Amino acid sequence: MLGDRLERRVAVSLYWRIFLLNAGVLALAVALLLGPVTVSTPVLFGEALVLLGGLAAMLVINAVLLKVGLAPLARLNRAMATADLLKPDARPTVTGGGEVAALTRTFNAMLDRLEAERATSSGRVLTALEAERKRIAQELHDEIGQTLTAVLLQIKHAADRAPEPVRTDLHQAQETTRASLDEIRRIARRLRPGVLEELGLYSALRSLAAEFTTPRLGVTAYITPGLPHLDPATELVLYRVAQEGLTNAARHSGATRVEVHLRPLPRGGVGLLVRDNGHGLGDAPEGAGIRGMRERALLIGAELLVGASPHGGTQVRLEIHDTTGATA
């Protein structure tokens, strides 16, 4: 490209670059004035054409040269406008020298620093969030769960001794209490995936699929054998992304079928795919759930893609190419 060649050849500051471009245009104007062309009074038609042609040529040359000289700033401006710390993209290329190249290097260094700081702070926040979820789940199980279990036993004891009209009401209260206890246990399992800690990721994903399966929504987990060993932080990210993908599909997509795939990638690593047959994302902006998945993916250096499925609906694709360097 002409702009890149000019940047490589002229490694001067932006001030001198613009000065030299305009100086070239003015030199051309002086050359026209010193040339054989004269201007009569009144101006003849041929002389007017020469003057207007020279002016048009100077304007075109000035516009082209300025566009070439300011092209690096335009590229840097586009990179600044589209930068998103949750979606790491390729950095603007540093070409040439001078102030524009220095500004581009500074911008790239700033993005690197901000992404590192955000990853560190997000890691601390998510670690604290998981600890708080674990504490709340433990209290639900130990305090409220045991209390409701005791209430169930008391209701059963009272129902066995109560007369028939009262016994029916007590049995109904017993069923309501049992349903509440089951709901609390379900919430506790979502807050703290005990099956993930006790039985591993494969069993946890199958349990998650069974938990979201209803008469209106069928969820199937497909796990390909031969997956590499995953550290606990990576397994937790995979589980939480699958959980959030299933939650979005159940609440918002209107899907009747969801597939969860966990398989090795062709060039190494692990890939997670959550795919539904719903109505898709449309023009809806990304919510807190998707942004939370992106933050978790960044913690382990994974790539998260959320978009339309080739067969309709929405798919969430998480690809982990390095399964050895993940950190919580």
Side-chain angles (χ1 to χ4, degrees), residues 75-86:
R75 291 196 297 268
L76 184 59
N77 181 62
R78 288 193 297 270
M80 289 180 175
T82 58
D84 188 347
L85 296 181
L86 292 180

Side-chain angles (χ1 to χ4, degrees), residues 114-227:
L114 289 177
E115 287 181 0
E117 292 175 354
R118 183 182 181 91
T120 301
S121 61
S122 297
R124 293 172 180 171
V125 170
L126 292 176
T127 299
L129 179 61
E130 290 296 335
E132 186 66 13
R133 284 183 171 186
K134 183 177 181 179
R135 184 188 66 80
I136 295 175
Q138 194 69 31
E139 290 186 359
L140 286 175
H141 182 272
D142 294 343
E143 301 294 334
I144 301 179
Q146 292 182 5
T147 300
L148 288 180
T149 301
V151 171
L152 277 175
L153 295 176
Q154 293 175 359
I155 293 176
K156 182 179 183 304
H157 181 72
D160 292 340
R161 297 186 177 186
E164 184 60 35
V166 180
R167 185 180 304 173
T168 303
D169 294 338
L170 288 175
H171 282 314
Q172 185 176 358
Q174 186 178 11
E175 292 302 319
T176 303
T177 306
R178 182 177 288 109
S180 300
L181 180 59
D182 292 339
E183 180 66 15
I184 287 176
R185 288 172 176 170
R186 184 184 64 81
I187 294 174
R189 285 195 303 270
R190 288 194 177 186
L191 287 173
R192 176 175 176 262
V195 65
L196 177 62
E197 299 175 358
E198 298 168 3
L199 301 179
L201 180 62
Y202 305 162
S203 298
L205 289 179
R206 291 192 176 95
S207 176
L208 197 62
E211 181 180 343
F212 277 89
T213 298
T214 64
R216 296 183 178 182
L217 180 64
V219 182
T220 308
Y222 300 93
I223 299 176
T224 304
L227 293 172

